Amino acid sequence: MTKDKELEIQMQFLEEATDYLNTLEGVLLEIDISKRIELEHINAAMRAAHSIKGGAAMMGFRVLSNLAHKLEDAFKVLKTQKDSLELDTHLQSLLLSSVDWLRQIVELLAKGNNLDDSWLRKSCYPVFNELYERLGEPTPENITTLLSSENDTEIIPLLFETEVEEYLQHLEARLKNSNKSGLRAELVMMATELGGLGEMLQLTAFTQLCQSVSHYLETHPDSCLEIANLALKAWRQSQTLVLSNQRGNLPNRINLGEVIYDLPAILSNQQVHKSFVSDFDFLENVELSPASADRGSTSENLPIDYKYTERKSDINSLPKERENQENTVRVPSKHLEKINDLFGEVIIQRNGLNVQVERLRKLVRNLSQRVQILDQENQELRTAYAKIITHNHGNQEVENNFIEQDSYQKLNLLSQNVMETIVQVAEVTSDIQLSVDDTDQITRKLNKTSKQLQRQLTQVRMRPFSDLVERFPRAIRDLNVEYGKNVQLKIEGGNTLIERGILEALNEPLMHLLRNAFDHGIEDPITRKNQGKPEQGLIEMKAAYHSNRTIITIRDDGQGISLDKIRHRALKMGLDDSLLAIASDEELLSLIFEPGFSTSEQVTALSGRGVGMDVVRNNLKLARGDVNVDTQTGVGTKFTLSVPFTLSVARVLLVESDRLVLAFFTDVIEEIFLLEQEQIFSQNGKEFINWQNHQLPLLRLNSYFEFNCSRYNNLEIETLPIINAISVLIVKHDHQQVAVQVERCWGEQEVAIRQVEGNIPLPGGFNNCTILGDGRVVPLINTNDLVSWITKNERPHISNKLPTTRLQTAFLKPPKVKTVNQPSRQKGIILIVDDSINVRRYLALTLEKGGYQVEQAKDGQEALEKLESGLQVQAVICDIEMPRIDGYSFLERINNNTELRNIPVAMLTSRSSSKHRQLAMQLGAKAYFSKPYNEQELLRTLEEMIFQIGETTLIRNS
């Protein structure tokens, strides 16, 4: 087996191990208030831990296998002592911590990292040691009686009906597949894991059978296919015997190349139910265990049914139990993205085909008209010439008449030929028309098929909402323990499918809103009791579809958001009191999404240290989503997140403004109508229109666009515009409507979204592009950014900077602040470079308290791009370990750039060794801090760096 194939199988196992860990965590989180764990839950956890142990051993992940074995032993003890052992909070935390360590090890292995022994001994092993000290290990008596409890008759058939069935279905699918590469490795792993299952279930013959499969695979590697078929038959036989309560008849080996037993002869004296015999048709080339060969079977041992009904109900009751699904194939997400990109090209070419078919229709119509005109003119020519001949025939001599008659006959013959040609051209035109009709029909079928393909591809690229929120119950449980609250998290719509890219964009916003609801929303139990509320708070999270969007709501039954606190905070940040006095509740609530805005009196690490709601909004914008909030004092708060169904394909409205074709997403457009001059009125130097009893600002896009290149003088698209006059689009901007003037409108079209690549960024307000059927590239409008850019007269800029005098929303705009001369040593902008957004937030808060403004970059690459594009900063604080360009490389590039080398750079990193310090200083760092840092010392050193006070090279230990 090649190294690449071996690595692929290992990665697939680690993905599967993650599923098992999710099962373990789900079991532990569903421990009820009586501090007992249900037997079926323990069994599910034991199977999950055992599967990790066996698979990891096969894959060569020794540490993972050993630790999973320890966890499996812990669940064995829990099972044998389930009536006497109380699962207190500490024991539950130990078990959850063990799962966390297994998860962390799986993630490290998946990234190709080696496990550091000292790190394991110092941090990981103590958790499992403490768990062992608390529970001990199962004694031989415990192991013997482990599966002989009151549910023994159900557990073993259940495992063969579920776990074993999954293996057998997978093997059957592999044998049907023409590609047999990697089959031997998979079969070895399967035999090892099934053998481990037989050992756990005390099924000696089944364990020996799996060992014989492994033995033949090792001694006869060239007979892998034959061994696989024999193993499948033997395992199917074992499954059937277990399900029919015939465990004493289990085969204990396969025999390659010969038949040892004739099973029909063995069963000849048995009264086998007719419907049951067919299940034994494959029982050849297997050897039965000695016990079954010597012992006769009676009819009492053969039940009529397998108790499928009862066991199915047990399966459904298990927490997060993997369902028996159709055979699946794991595909790397990057392959799906490539397929999706190719499908985007299909859509572009499909639209192009539609354009060409329409163009052909026009040409055929024009050709038919020209043929009719030609036929009509030929008839008129014949008539006119006949009149001339008749007139001349009465006035001229006979000789001349004969000459004219001869000329007329020649002309008549020529005219007849022209008529025949016209008829032939008309026939060709008709044939072309029929061909175009056929092409149009094929095009319609192609459109239908491509839409079906689009839906199927979208389904493939989607993941259930539960994939994102399955860790949230664990987070709430840990927060309850840490902060002494009693909060329940209820999740609905876990099966709602969401596109993978959108799901990733939702991760941080949802976690922040969840922590915010726990911290600021839900009161402590005593306060809730005094208010007449249940002591246990409730946070509900729900996902559902609405139209072509996915709606996610987060609701809590806490104290709500205080509008008075919002007004007070807004006043402190510089907003006009008169604006706040007339602002509606919705307008005031929109302020919480501004950078740095918080009503919290205390800065806490739990809910973002006073910042973060702007990150919720900005992350949603990246996924073309938005967020709305509704609150009621003393009752609770509800956040509503809305995201599109997919990001790869969208319906857009094509419009023209100042001879530029633009595309607006249809889901932001509420109405379109002709602009009447009497609708426009001015107020404070700005234009507004009346719409449905609302006064909306009017934005004339052609007043803001400036071009430094030639544009289309004759801007025409293949189809005629549906509105060929100045019109108004009513578009949604955050939580209000804005009127946008356009010159013409071509209607809706389904398009593929394309990213604009290159070093030149798109102007503010434009979000990617699409390609029309005629090859024209059309920019896609990001409504929020465009309106923000126009209303603020600047490009929208995402920053966590505290805008004490520049706070602006879609509703409220502060008065202009007079500029003042900056004194010497004026504190300016500091650039923070760190791949952790939480580190950047915390550091930004420190710097802002010190009087600095802050810019942020997630790695060295983004930091260089900002500096090279003209960002003026006084200093840079940079991490070392970052993606793309790390801290060391960033220092080298800064020092090699004559325009940037004078910017002082301080390193802030978790690496505290002297060799890392020395390397950073050699590369040009002015200071070196190790995490965690001292705020005052950092601010003092930063001031020294900027204003060149004291030493030029500063090393700080914190």
Side-chain angles (χ1 to χ4, degrees), residues 82-104:
K82 63 182 177 65
D83 295 328
S84 59
L85 182 65
E86 180 180 354
L87 269 169
D88 56 24
T89 302
H90 180 64
L91 179 55
Q92 186 185 15
S93 297
L94 278 177
L95 291 167
L96 285 169
S97 296
S98 301
V99 174
D100 288 342
W101 279 110
L102 293 180
R103 191 185 299 277
Q104 190 170 351

Side-chain angles (χ1 to χ4, degrees), residues 40-139:
E40 61 267 25
H41 293 182
I42 297 180
N43 290 331
M46 285 175 56
R47 291 196 297 273
H50 180 82
S51 297
I52 296 175
K53 179 190 72 174
M58 181 60 208
M59 296 293 113
F61 301 137
R62 179 180 54 82
V63 172
L64 180 61
S65 178
N66 292 340
L67 294 179
H69 194 173
K70 291 179 182 294
L71 188 58
E72 181 187 12
D73 286 344
F75 280 105
K76 288 178 180 179
V77 175
L78 290 176
K79 181 171 183 178
T80 57
Q81 301 180 18
K82 63 182 177 65
D83 295 328
S84 59
L85 182 65
E86 180 180 354
L87 269 169
D88 56 24
T89 302
H90 180 64
L91 179 55
Q92 186 185 15
S93 297
L94 278 177
L95 291 167
L96 285 169
S97 296
S98 301
V99 174
D100 288 342
W101 279 110
L102 293 180
R103 191 185 299 277
Q104 190 170 351
I105 290 172
V106 167
E107 291 174 353
L108 288 171
L109 293 173
K111 295 177 181 178
N113 296 328
N114 294 323
L115 302 179
D116 183 70
D117 288 338
S118 61
W119 169 71
L120 289 169
R121 286 195 300 269
K122 181 180 179 181
S123 303
C124 175
Y125 293 159
V127 174
F128 288 86
N129 292 338
E130 186 177 356
L131 186 63
Y132 173 79
E133 292 173 2
R134 176 69 185 272
L135 295 176
E137 62 180 349
T139 63

Side-chain angles (χ1 to χ4, degrees), residues 695-712:
Q695 296 180 359
L696 304 185
L698 176 62
L699 304 181
R700 301 179 187 264
L701 295 183
N702 55 10
S703 301
Y704 298 95
F705 292 155
E706 295 181 3
F707 299 97
N708 295 318
C709 61
S710 60
R711 284 167 287 161
Y712 296 98

